Amino acid sequence: MRKEKDKIKIIPLGGFNEIGKNLTVIEYKNDIVIVDCGLKFPDDDMLGIDVVIPDVTYLLKNKDRVKGIFLTHGHEDHIGALPYILKQINVPVYGTKLTLGIVQIKLKEHGILSTVDLKYIKPKDIVKLDNVSVEFIRTSHSIADSVAIAVHTPAGVVLHTGDFKIDYTPIDGCVADLARFAELGKKGVAVMLADSTNVERPGYTMSESTVGESFENIFFSAKGRIIVATFASNIHRIQQIIQAASKYGRKVAVSGRSMENIMAVAIELGYIKIDKETLINVDAISKYNDNQVAIITTGSQGEPMSALSRMAASEHKKVNIQEGDTVIISATPIPGNEKLVSKVINQLFKKGADVIYEALADVHVSGHACQEELKLMHTLVKPKFFIPAHGEYRHLKQHGELAVKLGMPERNVYLGENGDVIELSRDSIRKVSSVTSGQVFVDGLGVGDVGNIVLRDRKHLSQDGILTVVVTIEKDTCTVIAGPDIISRGFVYVRESEDLMDGARELVKQVLKECEENKIKEWPTIKGNIREVLRGYLYEKTKRRPMILPIIMEV
Amino acid sequence: MRKEKDKIKIIPLGGFNEIGKNLTVIEYKNDIVIVDCGLKFPDDDMLGIDVVIPDVTYLLKNKDRVKGIFLTHGHEDHIGALPYILKQINVPVYGTKLTLGIVQIKLKEHGILSTVDLKYIKPKDIVKLDNVSVEFIRTSHSIADSVAIAVHTPAGVVLHTGDFKIDYTPIDGCVADLARFAELGKKGVAVMLADSTNVERPGYTMSESTVGESFENIFFSAKGRIIVATFASNIHRIQQIIQAASKYGRKVAVSGRSMENIMAVAIELGYIKIDKETLINVDAISKYNDNQVAIITTGSQGEPMSALSRMAASEHKKVNIQEGDTVIISATPIPGNEKLVSKVINQLFKKGADVIYEALADVHVSGHACQEELKLMHTLVKPKFFIPAHGEYRHLKQHGELAVKLGMPERNVYLGENGDVIELSRDSIRKVSSVTSGQVFVDGLGVGDVGNIVLRDRKHLSQDGILTVVVTIEKDTCTVIAGPDIISRGFVYVRESEDLMDGARELVKQVLKECEENKIKEWPTIKGNIREVLRGYLYEKTKRRPMILPIIMEV
């Protein structure tokens, strides 16, 4: 039997039972390999939070063993936590050219670019560490230059697919390296972790090229300007917009900070090809006829501050939507964004634009494998054990069932949770312990200083507002010498609620009088009494429960 | 030429450029007919709001002419504002038996049932008013007993379809009265208002019966208990669950307040047929084997307090989800509810249930007409003018285009907004003026007392919390005699932010000192200075902008 420390351990610290903040730890002996380091966007109940990153307490405790962070691709949910985590654990970051190009933008924004050791790798490269070696295998996804990662250990191979789809006609001609997956499968893969996002969808994800065909049709018939909103990182989509524009004699302008940043990197690195004459500054669009202009922009998720939302609301400095414009929203709303997107569509239609979106034409395809593609990957890799990754529980569960349907014994599938320490032996996969895991909230400059108490208060405040009661009391005599004053925010429209407030003030006076008479000098008790009396009164009068904040000043 | 007052006027007060709060005014001479009186559920940015109802200022000003409220069906977005509006304008309410049965539940809850004149009508009935008569025409929808409404005036017929679909095999056997629509079309319809919800969907909406077939398959093979969540008002869906249960020897229990209420009414009125032995109390389920039990419940939208959510979270008093349960979510998430529904699905899977939802099986169909059904309605009714109704702008616009494709001149389509006074003459449809319209927020007992200022404050509070600064000042000398005290809520975790708060307090002290030295006695000025200094300080330190509330007490 192998020694305990010679076993492979896999510890997901993010991306399990959730969409986002992907971070998986793969350990063998003294080597810790981190696959991806992503962020998650906050849920609706995380009020005021900017982004959510994984809790990496475990990595901090094992800093010395961490050999590097290995990136599968450049999406936020796989690289977005890097600036925060690298400030705590400065290790080399491995990625393909485009992935690291995007990482550079982020690190520069956080002012730590010069301190980070970026290691460029290419598909088929192998990085040798002390006890393991890490191999990169080309995949397809909705961003160029994506890879799967195979960690070779004496105890077997761990394959993490990253996000992937099977696209036989990708825009850059670089099909996923199916041969290498098959080769690994033939030699034997101990365990596979694989993308579960689209496991509920039967069939195949359409090729990115099909979107190009739709673009061609739209560009062929559009008479005015064409504005296309898509994800800034979807380099191939952008390339197809440029191709359609060139074909029909349109110049291409770009609007939106992230689109400008990422396009600049992609053009510089050769991932986007565009003639110098075709690319124009957005300031110059008025110099051309409407049918000579195409604008690529951000805002496909209806984000209120994005370029497209500003155009739709007539708040964009350079582009105002006009009758005859054709606007293509080349994306699907991420769950939770449906209403925002719909709002933008309505505004665009009202301004007279022709709006084309997924419900009306094939202007978007997913970047994730559907059931038949997943089956192909499982069949090629034939792993001994399987850990469904990247998904909510519903996805992980169904991906596990898919593996079982393909012939894997049920006991060889492990449905993990963040923080599980999953140990692999020759014959079994099992959880041996757990480590700290969870979500760290980033709010402004604060990383982790907003916790559940603060969020609970924000939630409370958001529903019924706050009512502050202030009173100044003479310490020795317990006499009120100023107040009580009552100030509310977010509770009622004060001018129309004077009676309600007068009533509240009277009740507080009574409470104070009773306390004075009974010589109650404990402020917490007095505050408690005020809170209790007001809570009942306000609920009876309004059926609302504002936060009640009594403040006693003593002189 | 007809006299001004002899023209038909149509005034939408809700349901245009929005989903919900449907209320349309149809006027001719001295008669005002109101079609529907619905509510809308609040958008994400309407924090703490319970429901939104239409602004009916116009109706209050014209109370004497209002002849009644005529209901097309019993959904919340068509009847939900009744309790609020009837308190202001007490007019007769006309509706079919089931519609008024559901209205009764609402009016009882609001304690005004006895004061309202409910007039029961049947399809084909005609109600004669002073100058117009109102006819009811059977339609199909996702609730039983739905009707379209035709207002016959000497100046022509106004037809409002209400919400509808074309179902050739409805559960109650009552197909929409296509013959009557055709007959009206033949005689001539001046203007049609029609449901635009599904105008973006090609083809036909599936028949309700198809869901029954899915249920039969699931009930045939399920080995444990079956729990089905659906809309309480979807009587036909519920009937099909009961049929499947009876066929496979299962008792039926009901959980969830609205489900219990509406089912009681529907059974009493004969809309749901169920054997006395089949219906059991939810307390009694443990007396039966798991494969003898089916539970019908609320919560298909993942509402946090609903029965299904409580079952999924082990907070339901009587039903705990167990291994082997089959849970069917027989609904589609309304935009905005996707994440809530997904959360419940994950919880149910984790508890070992087999969860079946729209992505996996045909367990739901829409209640609204798709493109081919809309074309049928347009072709039968052949209206001279057309007003797309019930939809966001994107839907109204596309429904207008559909009419034009069928041959209607573009100038005969009117894309309306709430508050438009739309006048019909023989040859034209045009807006002649506008009346007050908008949204009235209901929050607890308050109707209209929460406005934009309160909502803006709630939004502000929800993002970064509040920081209250209190100080007691001796009036004449401007000396500080107590404080400044700083108390925050929802801003930072206080214990870890003592330095930040100490710094803030020092800054406030400085401001007060300067004011004292400069003999500034205007409290608003002092407060303004405190606010300004703290805002800059806190933003620099945290990149957050909490609400800052300075309170000065004088003695």
Side-chain angles (χ1 to χ4, degrees), chain A residues 6-43:
Chain A
D6 293 359
K7 286 181 179 163
I8 297 169
K9 288 205 183 76
I10 296 169
I11 310 171
L13 291 179
F16 279 59
N17 300 321
E18 65 182 342
I19 302 286
K21 76 175 175 59
N22 295 286
L23 193 162
T24 307
V25 175
I26 300 170
E27 290 190 23
Y28 181 76
K29 283 193 172 170
N30 207 37
D31 287 350
I32 288 185
V33 165
I34 300 175
V35 176
D36 290 330
C37 187
L39 60 71
K40 186 167 88 166
F41 293 101
D43 291 341

Side-chain angles (χ1 to χ4, degrees), chain A residues 284-476:
Chain A
I285 53 173
S286 55
K287 293 183 193 157
Y288 299 88
N289 295 333
D290 287 348
N291 65 3
Q292 296 176 315
V293 171
I295 301 169
I296 304 177
T297 184
T298 53
S300 63
Q301 293 300 313
E303 308 92 323
M305 300 306 292
S306 68
L308 185 65
S309 290
R310 284 184 283 127
M311 291 178 199
S314 299
E315 286 165 4
H316 194 283
K317 282 180 191 152
K318 315 213 164 137
V319 185
N320 206 353
I321 298 296
Q322 63 199 31
E323 190 95 24
D325 284 347
T326 297
V327 180
I328 305 172
I329 299 180
S330 179
T332 195
I334 293 168
N337 292 348
E338 292 83 356
K339 282 189 167 184
L340 290 172
V341 174
S342 202
K343 188 178 165 193
V344 171
I345 291 175
N346 288 324
Q347 287 176 316
L348 293 168
F349 267 129
K350 273 196 197 169
K351 292 213 176 315
D354 191 13
V355 194
I356 300 171
Y357 40 101
E358 218 192 356
L360 308 181
D362 295 330
V363 290
H364 178 67
V365 294
S366 169
H368 298 274
C370 291
Q371 285 168 7
E372 296 306 311
E373 294 154 274
L374 294 174
K375 288 179 195 167
L376 173 57
M377 185 60 86
H378 281 264
T379 304
L380 289 176
V381 176
K382 290 182 297 182
K384 171 128 195 185
F385 299 106
F386 174 50
I387 303 175
H390 200 290
E392 299 176 16
Y393 188 78
R394 60 196 271 188
H395 306 114
L396 306 185
K397 174 110 172 37
Q398 289 176 66
H399 201 176
E401 283 169 6
L402 180 139
V404 171
K405 271 188 200 147
L406 291 173
M408 181 174 282
E410 217 174 312
R411 65 179 178 282
N412 288 18
V413 174
Y414 185 84
L415 298 185
E417 294 193 22
N418 295 330
D420 284 356
V421 179
I422 308 165
E423 193 187 79
L424 233 69
S425 68
R426 189 181 297 273
D427 306 310
S428 73
I429 184 165
R430 65 193 185 101
K431 174 177 166 181
V432 289
S433 60
S434 340
V435 301
T436 305
S437 71
Q439 39 198 17
V440 173
F441 300 131
V442 178
D443 181 4
L445 293 181
V447 178
D449 68 335
V450 169
N452 289 330
I453 296 174
V454 172
L455 286 187
R456 198 192 56 202
D457 283 351
R458 286 184 185 170
K459 175 85 185 165
H460 189 171
L461 291 165
S462 77
Q463 292 302 299
D464 288 321
I466 187 169
L467 195 107
T468 308
V469 183
V470 203
V471 59
T472 306
I473 294 183
E474 212 280 325
K475 192 162 34 177
D476 299 325

